[in-house]
């Protein structure tokens, strides 16, 4: 008798688990659907200008910095903090790169290395105040936002420094190897198409592998139509982008850079001890500490990492603009923070995903791009972005409350 | 004819498809103390949340009839307006506000609109506090300077300030020691004389049997029975029978200890208060544990037992720590908690929500947290399959009631949360286990299971140290007990000499000695 009740409970449990899994997946798709809708709205408003090959290319290049920054910012958000200084650090590192190349004639690879190390050092500087001296991150990064913006002005004498040599601008505006052919009168870059197809195949194989693995270990798997739809959509989007890029100049280098970074950071947050520790610190500092996690060390590395990514974004931005300006990276921190929250990160910390942050960054990027295309002023753009952030977070919170 | 103040009829409440309550009925007579008993996860807290409007009307099915009138509460405020006040398992006081401010929190005394009338607040607070025997307290004291016992009383004062008629207490004495519990229970009886009806959830059956006029037993989301107190108190064994559905002949499993050599030792341990480094919290503590032995630490609240355990656990508490920790004949120099874990020492905290769990994450995630590096990862990369298998295994061993290991820990019942913390540390496969109040808020059946686990750990040759404010528990499961008072060892008892009187006597003697030393 007791046994049958037990069994019933387990059976119920399994179906509930499946339902819940479907729910959480759906929520993630919600963001993606929003992304599509926004894109389509702007496609209509701009008479299709934003699906032009050149614009797709611009979208990738213009958004790369915010995507890069939001990867690091997500880790900050997971610990229930933010980094307000990244915009200034981006500017400072860009300025440093320009000065090293143009005034000191240092070789480009060495310059890049120096600037990245500088980013790391700035991050460590912030991390030291936060972790060792226990100054609240909000204050430390607010102060450094002013400090590094000021320093950028000083080292640049308030002037734009450029133009930077082509070897350097390649980093932000260059392409991967290209092979062009003519297909029906249009010039097509073959390698982008190949890359798109290869990645699609890898995606399919990975999904099959993980599903097999789960079944082998008798874990619950979602009904097959779910991953199927997910794959179809993902592959569709991927190849849409690569085809468009093929019709322009091929694969931008920054696309490769973003791709690698996204994979690395997804892996870190999902599959490594370090990633779990970041979530734990944000979820409950005390419990994390008593589980043997060195919470100060976690905070230190989160901000050091942010510094590194800010340095990298600084290089990419300077390279794309072929110059460094005192105003570079202005309000990038806000875009990155907004990206994380739009992507489902919780202000209380402990909740958020890399894929969410990337989608959030893309939503911000498509908004920026679309509104520029249809000629809305910067002021209106800010209003719209602000409202989107407010709306996204409100809907997210409302959903969470309803489901709990 | 009996007058019912409350009738809950056919209450059913589901959480994402799983029924936490299934057609539950509960009737409460006016002016009685009615206890709710049942295993962890039976649905007691859920039922009370339904009653008090935490789960609003429409999220459950069934009917709440209060004073003969059908009520549909949308939130806590609407039930409070009718005089139903709930005091939750976790206290809801604001630590940095004064007693007076807390008493009238959300219920401020104002003149005009929204301007707080401090004189009136003070007068009324004094009024309410004198009703609970705290009339002489300094009202401007911050709440965080009070002990848990007094904080619990402040919660009741808060309810009284709201003109309560039906008071609901969810495990009010779980965090209190015997003395504090007695004060609280006396207060509840006094309130009853003033006509306040009271529903009380508790796993401490001795208390239930002492104060309750009737007891409703809930099991697996169903009402099993309501036991009325006739002319003598309801016996504990009678309640247990209702709860677990059979007679539980023994509260504590048989112990056949095979005691070996000393495997863990602490010598001349001195610790200072980190907030006030002039104050010594622990003075010259020396103790040892033999293999296969369960050692208890007895003492009053604030004796320094938790501080002792935490300071041993890689200096998780205290400054200027001196003394030696020796395991298997080798002295350990533990500088951090990670060190302690690497040396196979585990500490199960007394406060699961604050120190034990990350409530927003699931069971699996929480249970593996302490041994991710040592057990579930290679080169820093987590092996999720291994993790799931081990977690699933331990979930079964200590019988955690959950839909799946992917359930959010925050949505588990209190007792099951406690089991998760225990499982988390068992997963780290420790040699030395420091258990701080391991059965707080756990039902009798589950307690027995946990004692069995403790026994088997000891039998496997581990050193187990148990801290508990429930003296019968220590007497039931330990081989040896150290009595601690004011940060010093006040005495040691072997199993043959075990009795509550002897423990209390050691404490009293020690207090006397302290006084004569100082005077
Ligand atoms: N928000 C929630 N989401 C999902 N399940 C829940 C939620 N709240 C409670 N439950 C489930 O409902 C059941 C009853 O829980 P409840 O907290 O009422 O138990 P309880 O009788 O108070 O136990 P305890 O003595 O351990 O406190 C449990 O199985 C619990 O996991
Ligand atoms: Mg409960």
């Amino acid at each position: 008798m007791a046994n049958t009740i037990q069994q019933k409970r387990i059976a119920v449990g399994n179906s509930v688990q499946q339902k819940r899994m479907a729910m959480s997946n759906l929520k993630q798709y919600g963001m993606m659907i929003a992304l599509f809708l926004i894109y389509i709205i702007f496609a209509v408003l701009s008479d299709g200008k934003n699906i032009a090959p050149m614009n797709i290319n611009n979208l990738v290049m213009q958004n790369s910095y915010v995507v890069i920054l939001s990867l690091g910012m997500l880790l900050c958000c997971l610990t229930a903090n933010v980094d307000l200084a990244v915009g200034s650090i981006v500017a400072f590192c860009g300025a440093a790169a320009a000065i090293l190349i143009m005034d000191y004639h240092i070789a480009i690879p060495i310059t890049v290395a120096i600037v990245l190390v500088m980013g790391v050092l700035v991050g460590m500087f912030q991390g030291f105040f936060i972790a060792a001296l226990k100054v609240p991150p909000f204050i430390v990064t607010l102060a450094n936002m002013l400090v590094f913006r000021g320093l950028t002005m000083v080292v640049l004498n308030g002037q734009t420094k450029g133009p930077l040599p082509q070897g350097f601008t390649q980093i932000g505006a260059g392409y991967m190897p290209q092979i062009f052919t003519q297909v029906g009168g249009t010039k097509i870059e073959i390698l982008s198409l190949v890359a798109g197809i290869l990645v699609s195949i890898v995606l399919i194989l990975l999904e099959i592998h993980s599903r097999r693995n789960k079944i082998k270990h008798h874990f619950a798997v979602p009904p097959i139509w779910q991953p199927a739809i997910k794959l179809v959509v993902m592959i569709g989007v991927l190849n849409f982008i690569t085809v468009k890029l093929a019709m322009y100049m091929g694969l931008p280098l920054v696309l490769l850079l973003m791709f690698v970074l996204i994979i690395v950071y997804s892996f870190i947050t999902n599959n490594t001890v370090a990633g779990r520790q970041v979530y734990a610190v944000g979820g409950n500092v005390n419990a994390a500490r008593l589980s043997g996690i060195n919470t100060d060390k976690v905070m230190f590395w989160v901000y050091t990492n942010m510094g590194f990514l800010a340095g990298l974004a600084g290089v990419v931005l300077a390279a794309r603009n072929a110059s460094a300006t005192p105003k570079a990276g202005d309000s990038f921190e806000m875009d990155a923070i907004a990206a994380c929250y739009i992507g489902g990160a919780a202000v209380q910390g402990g909740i958020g995903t890399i894929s969410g942050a990337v989608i959030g960054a893309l939503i911000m990027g498509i908004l920026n791009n679309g509104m520029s295309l249809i000629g809305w002023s910067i002021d209106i753009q800010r209003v719209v972005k602000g409202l989107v952030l407010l709306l996204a977070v409100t809907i997210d919170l409302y959903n969470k409350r309803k489901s709990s | 004819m009996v007058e019912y103040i409350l009738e809950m009829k056919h209450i059913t409440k589901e959480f994402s498809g799983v029924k936490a309550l299934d057609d539950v009925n509960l009737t409460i007579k006016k002016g009685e103390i009615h206890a709710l008993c049942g295993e962890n996860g039976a649905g007691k807290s859920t039922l009370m949340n339904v009653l008090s409007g935490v789960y609003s009307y429409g999220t459950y099915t069934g009917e709440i009839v209060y004073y003969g009138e059908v009520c549909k509460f949308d939130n806590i405020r609407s039930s409070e307006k009718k005089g139903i006040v709930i005091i939750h398992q976790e206290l809801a006081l604001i630590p940095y506000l004064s007693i007076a401010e807390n008493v009238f929190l959300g219920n401020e005394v104002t003149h005009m609109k929204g301007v707080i009338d401090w004189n009136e607040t003070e007068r009324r607070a004094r009024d309410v506090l004198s009703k609970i025997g705290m009339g002489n307290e300094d009202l401007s004291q911050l709440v965080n300077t009070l002990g848990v016992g007094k904080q619990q009383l402040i919660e009741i004062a808060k309810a009284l300030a709201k003109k309560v008629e039906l008071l609901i207490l969810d495990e009010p004495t779980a965090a209190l020691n015997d003395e504090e519990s007695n004060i609280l229970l006396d207060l509840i009886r006094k309130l009853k004389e003033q006509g306040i009806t009271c529903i009380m959830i508790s796993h401490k059956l001795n208390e239930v049997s002492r104060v309750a006029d009737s007891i409703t037993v809930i099991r697996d989301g169903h009402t099993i029975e309501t036991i009325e107190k006739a002319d003598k108190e309801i016996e504990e064994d009678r309640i247990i029978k209702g709860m677990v559905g059979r007679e539980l002949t023994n509260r504590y499993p048989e112990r056949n200890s095979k005691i070996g050599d000393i495997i863990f030792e602490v010598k001349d341990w001195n610790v200072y208060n980190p907030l006030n480094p002039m104050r010594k919290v622990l003075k010259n503590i020396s103790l040892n544990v033999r293999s296969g032995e369960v050692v208890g630490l007895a003492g009053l609240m604030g004796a320094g037992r938790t501080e002792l355990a935490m300071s041993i656990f890689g200096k998780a508490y205290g400054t200027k720590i001196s003394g030696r920790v020796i395991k298997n004949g080798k002295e350990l120099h533990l500088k951090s908690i990670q060190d302690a874990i690497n040396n196979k020492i585990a500490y199960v905290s007394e406060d699961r929500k604050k120190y034990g769990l990350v409530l927003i994450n699931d069971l699996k995630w929480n249970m593996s947290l302490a041994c991710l590096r040592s057990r579930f990862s290679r080169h820093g990369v987590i092996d999720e399959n291994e993790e799931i298998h081990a977690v699933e295994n331990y979930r079964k061993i200590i019988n955690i009631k959950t839909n799946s290991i992917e359930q959010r820990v925050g949505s588990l019942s209190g007792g099951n949360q406690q089991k998760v913390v225990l499982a988390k540390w068992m997963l780290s496969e420790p040699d030395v286990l420091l258990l701080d109040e391991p059965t707080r808020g756990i039902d009798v059946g589950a307690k027995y299971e946990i004692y069995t686990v403790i026994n088997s750990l000891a039998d496997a040759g581990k050193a187990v140290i148990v801290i508990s404010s429930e003296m019968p528990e220590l007497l039931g499961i330990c081989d040896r007990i150290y009595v601690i008072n004011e940060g010093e060892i006040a005495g040691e008892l072997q199993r043959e000499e075990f009795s509550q009187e002897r423990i209390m006597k050691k404490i009293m003697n020690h207090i006397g000695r302290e006084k004569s030393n100082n005077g």
Side-chain angles (χ1 to χ4, degrees):
Chain A
M1 168 69 195
N3 225 344
T4 58
I5 290 179
Q6 196 79 14
Q7 275 162 4
K8 217 186 295 170
R9 271 195 177 248
I10 291 170
V12 170
N14 274 342
S15 78
V16 165
Q17 191 181 340
Q18 280 197 350
K19 215 191 281 176
R20 186 168 315 139
M21 212 141 80
M23 290 271 282
S24 88
N25 287 344
L26 280 179
K27 204 185 279 170
Q28 224 188 354
Y29 301 148
M31 281 296 157
M32 274 194 227
I33 292 167
L35 183 69
F36 280 135
L37 284 181
I38 293 172
Y39 190 66
I40 289 166
I41 289 172
F42 279 108
V44 173
L45 288 179
S46 67
D47 291 329
K49 264 190 225 147
N50 80 338
I51 56 170
M54 185 174 90
N55 191 55
I56 300 278
N57 182 74
N58 286 347
L59 259 174
V60 170
M61 289 196 174
Q62 282 166 357
N63 282 315
S64 55
Y65 352 108
V66 176
V67 170
I68 292 171
L69 290 175
S70 61
L71 297 177
M73 192 63 80
L74 179 82
L75 300 186
C76 297
C77 290
L78 285 177
T79 69
N81 293 295
V82 290
D83 188 337
L84 296 172
V86 288
S88 301
I89 300 174
V90 164
F92 183 71
C93 289
I99 289 171
L100 286 174
I101 290 174
M102 298 191 55
D103 297 355
Y104 294 89
H105 307 290
I106 297 192
I108 289 164
I110 299 179
T111 299
V112 172
I114 293 176
V115 172
L116 291 183
V117 169
M118 240 168 68
V120 169
L121 289 178
V122 171
M124 286 181 163
F125 174 71
Q126 301 214 81
F128 174 73
F129 275 88
I130 292 166
L133 304 181
K134 311 274 186 242
V135 183
F138 190 86
I139 306 293
V140 173
T141 60
L142 178 65
N144 282 328
M145 174 168 106
L146 299 172
V147 167
F148 285 100
R149 182 62 64 191
L151 282 178
T152 310
M153 306 257 187
V154 171
V155 295
L156 288 177
N157 283 324
Q159 312 259 302
T160 297
K161 200 170 216 43
L164 290 163
Q166 211 231 336
F168 183 73
T169 57
Q170 280 295 318
I171 299 170
Y175 294 90
M176 287 200 281
Q178 299 153 316
I179 303 175
F180 289 105
T181 52
Q182 291 284 336
V183 176
T186 36
K187 202 175 70 174
I188 293 278
E189 200 279 318
I190 304 264
L191 292 182
S192 339
L193 297 181
V194 174
I197 293 166
L198 281 182
V199 174
S200 307
I201 294 172
V202 170
L203 281 177
I204 295 173
L205 291 180
L206 277 179
E207 184 66 43
I208 292 175
H209 176 74
S210 106
R211 198 176 170 86
R212 280 230 183 103
N213 212 353
K214 276 189 183 150
I215 292 173
K216 197 176 88 194
H217 288 273
H218 307 288
F219 302 151
V221 286
I224 192 116
W225 59 267
Q226 272 195 26
I229 290 183
K230 189 176 86 180
L231 275 179
V232 168
V233 172
M234 270 166 72
I235 290 171
V237 171
L238 179 75
N239 286 284
F240 172 76
I241 295 172
T242 51
V243 167
K244 288 283 178 183
L245 290 174
M247 289 159 72
Y248 190 63
M249 299 281 284
L251 300 174
L253 274 175
V254 289
L255 183 67
L256 178 70
L257 181 65
M258 279 193 288
F259 188 70
V260 171
L261 285 176
I262 291 172
I263 290 179
V264 168
Y265 278 86
S266 299
F267 184 78
I268 290 176
T269 50
N270 288 329
N271 299 307
T272 68
V273 177
R276 284 272 176 100
Q277 294 190 338
V278 176
Y279 281 93
V281 168
N284 182 347
V285 187
N286 291 318
R289 202 172 68 91
L290 281 181
S291 301
I293 294 170
N294 188 336
T295 53
D296 292 337
K297 207 163 118 189
V298 171
M299 291 304 284
F300 180 80
W301 285 112
V302 163
Y303 278 88
T304 300
N305 170 68
M306 187 73 250
F308 166 72
L309 289 176
L312 184 60
V315 169
V316 174
L317 179 64
R320 162 132 172 106
N321 293 341
S323 65
T325 68
K327 281 258 148 223
D330 190 26
S331 83
F332 275 16
E333 64 277 354
M334 293 306 161
D335 281 351
I337 294 170
C340 293
Y341 291 143
I342 289 176
V347 182
Q348 308 88 317
I351 296 176
T353 57
I354 288 289
S355 56
V358 171
I359 292 175
L362 292 181
I363 289 182
M364 295 300 279
I366 288 177
L367 281 172
N368 279 334
N369 173 270
M371 290 188 291
S372 304
L373 282 181
I374 55 178
W376 287 1
S377 72
I378 295 285
D379 317 326
I380 300 292
Q381 292 190 19
R382 290 207 166 168
V383 174
V384 173
K385 283 196 289 184
L387 291 177
V388 168
L389 172 64
L390 193 60
L391 191 72
V393 175
T394 309
I395 292 174
D396 193 36
L397 283 179
Y398 181 75
N399 277 339
K400 272 186 199 140
R401 208 165 307 148
K402 216 170 62 178
S403 72
S404 75
Chain B
M1 205 197 104
V2 220
E3 187 193 351
Y4 291 115
I5 182 168
L6 172 77
E7 287 170 88
M8 295 180 81
K9 294 179 188 164
H10 311 294
I11 305 286
T12 297
K13 164 84 190 161
E14 289 186 5
F15 291 109
S16 43
V18 180
K19 282 184 180 163
L21 295 175
D22 192 357
D23 195 22
V24 169
N25 294 297
L26 179 70
T27 47
I28 310 283
K29 281 178 269 185
K30 184 151 171 50
E32 72 169 345
I33 298 177
H34 194 115
L36 280 185
C37 291
E39 297 180 345
N40 295 124
K44 307 177 294 290
S45 299
T46 306
L47 184 65
M48 290 303 103
N49 286 336
V50 165
L51 171 57
S52 59
V54 172
Y55 300 131
S56 58
Y57 178 77
T59 62
Y60 59 88
T61 59
E63 212 176 40
I64 300 176
V65 183
Y66 179 66
Y67 278 121
E69 171 196 353
V70 178
C71 290
K72 300 174 179 177
F73 300 125
D74 290 325
N75 49 38
I76 303 194
R77 290 222 141 205
S78 51
S79 68
E80 278 179 355
K81 257 192 225 133
K82 302 246 171 174
I84 302 177
V85 180
I86 182 164
I87 299 177
H88 286 281
Q89 229 158 331
E90 297 80 37
L91 299 181
L93 298 173
I94 313 286
Y96 296 107
L97 290 183
S98 70
I99 294 183
E101 283 167 311
N102 265 295
V103 167
F104 289 100
L105 192 69
N107 184 24
E108 283 79 6
V109 187
T110 57
H111 47 142
M112 323 254 273
K113 274 206 174 69
V115 183
I116 295 183
D117 182 343
W118 284 114
N119 293 331
E120 183 66 10
T121 300
E122 176 127 9
R123 200 186 61 71
R124 284 207 217 160
R126 177 83 50 213
D127 227 38
V128 171
L129 285 175
S130 61
K131 272 192 210 156
I132 61 165
M134 282 178 71
N136 299 324
E137 239 15 85
D138 174 8
L139 291 179
S140 60
Q141 250 183 101
L142 298 190
V143 156
N144 68 335
T145 60
L146 303 174
V148 243
K150 285 198 174 157
Q151 290 193 18
Q152 189 65 261
L153 295 180
I154 300 289
E155 280 279 6
I156 295 186
K158 213 169 123 185
L160 292 179
K162 288 175 188 156
K163 311 249 177 307
V164 58
E165 289 183 50
L166 176 59
L167 181 63
I168 305 166
L169 298 146
D170 196 348
E171 297 193 40
T173 60
L176 307 188
N177 63 14
D178 288 345
E179 198 184 336
E180 291 165 328
S181 303
N182 284 339
I183 296 177
L184 188 98
L185 296 175
D186 284 343
L187 176 64
I188 294 175
R189 283 210 198 105
K190 226 167 76 195
L191 294 179
K192 173 183 156 186
E193 282 159 24
Q194 294 165 17
I196 294 176
T197 313
C198 182
I199 302 179
M200 177 172 120
I201 300 177
S202 178
H203 291 292
K204 295 191 176 172
L205 300 183
N206 55 345
E207 295 173 355
V208 169
S209 106
R210 230 163 63 213
V211 300
D213 298 307
S214 45
I215 298 173
T216 295
V217 176
I218 298 181
R219 195 197 307 155
D220 267 340
H222 299 272
T223 6
I224 300 300
E225 59 179 340
T226 297
I227 314 167
E228 299 285 343
K229 169 171 155 182
D231 17 64
K232 66 177 193 353
E233 286 173 1
I234 306 162
E235 289 194 358
E236 283 179 54
D237 288 340
R238 176 71 191 80
I239 310 172
I240 294 173
K241 199 175 137 209
M243 278 172 66
V244 296
R246 63 192 151 84
E247 305 265 1
L248 199 65
T249 40
N250 274 321
R251 284 296 184 86
Y252 305 100
E254 191 78 20
R255 250 190 93 46
N256 296 315
S257 24
K258 285 190 291 292
I259 294 174
D261 298 330
I262 292 177
I263 52 170
F264 186 71
E265 220 173 336
V266 176
K267 282 191 170 158
D268 308 319
W269 198 249
N270 287 291
V271 177
Y272 289 82
N273 187 327
L275 299 178
N276 178 5
M278 302 301 290
R279 248 192 73 214
K280 218 173 187 177
V281 189
L282 298 169
K283 300 159 212 152
N284 277 321
I285 300 249
S286 293
L287 53 81
N288 59 53
V289 188
R290 290 167 182 279
S291 89
E293 191 181 37
V294 179
V295 168
L297 300 182
L300 302 178
M301 195 68 70
R305 295 168 300 169
T306 295
E307 288 78 0
L308 174 60
M310 283 180 80
S311 61
I312 295 172
F313 186 56
K315 309 196 170 161
Y317 170 89
T319 55
K320 296 200 286 178
I321 299 175
S322 66
R324 306 200 295 153
V325 175
I326 301 160
K327 196 186 124 195
N328 292 327
K330 222 179 83 212
E331 178 160 359
L332 304 178
H333 299 276
L334 307 174
K335 290 193 195 63
S336 67
I337 296 170
Q338 185 68 56
D339 273 353
I341 296 174
N342 289 344
N343 280 291
K344 302 239 159 250
I345 300 177
Y347 168 70
V348 177
S349 155
E350 60 180 333
D351 188 336
R352 55 181 171 251
K353 295 227 159 136
K354 201 157 159 211
Y355 295 114
L357 298 169
V358 181
L359 294 173
I360 50 176
N361 287 91
D362 62 24
L363 252 84
K364 167 173 71 99
W365 195 98
N366 271 283
M367 277 164 70
S368 63
L369 191 60
C371 49
L372 272 182
R373 204 172 276 292
S374 58
R375 207 172 152 180
F376 299 123
S377 66
R378 217 168 301 139
H379 308 301
V381 177
I382 297 169
D383 181 349
E384 212 167 335
N385 295 331
E386 176 66 32
E387 184 190 7
I388 293 176
H389 277 298
V391 165
E392 189 61 48
N393 188 18
Y394 273 87
R395 183 185 75 78
K396 281 190 200 121
I397 290 179
I398 72 169
N399 195 11
I400 300 171
K401 199 162 153 196
T402 166
N403 301 334
S404 84
I405 55 173
E406 294 185 347
Q407 187 171 354
R408 215 165 39 83
V409 185
S411 70
L412 289 179
S413 78
N416 280 305
Q417 288 179 358
Q418 182 70 26
K419 288 186 182 174
V420 173
V421 183
L422 204 65
K424 164 178 164 182
W425 287 105
M426 281 169 63
L427 268 169
S428 73
E429 300 184 321
D431 296 331
V432 178
L433 211 63
L434 305 161
L435 303 173
D436 198 350
E437 307 282 358
T439 62
R440 171 174 292 176
I442 287 193
D443 70 59
V444 267
K447 270 185 183 162
Y448 191 90
E449 286 165 15
I450 284 178
Y451 300 145
T452 315
V453 169
I454 292 177
N455 272 350
S456 62
L457 287 171
D459 289 344
K462 322 247 165 197
V464 184
I465 299 180
V466 181
I467 300 175
S468 172
S469 343
E470 286 181 50
M471 259 188 245
E473 174 172 282
L474 287 181
L475 300 177
I477 63 171
C478 295
D479 298 306
R480 194 151 54 92
I481 292 177
Y482 287 101
V483 181
I484 297 189
N485 189 51
E486 311 235 344
E488 284 183 296
I489 296 213
E492 186 182 337
L493 292 170
Q494 303 294 333
R495 188 162 182 99
E496 306 83 65
E497 341 169 60
F498 276 7
S499 78
Q500 288 204 36
E501 291 72 37
R502 288 218 180 87
I503 293 178
M504 283 318 292
K505 208 162 141 208
K506 294 245 186 236
I507 294 175
M508 288 307 152
N509 283 346
H510 185 261
I511 292 174
R513 218 159 43 219
E514 285 277 286
K515 281 227 179 82
S516 64
N517 278 351
N518 295 341

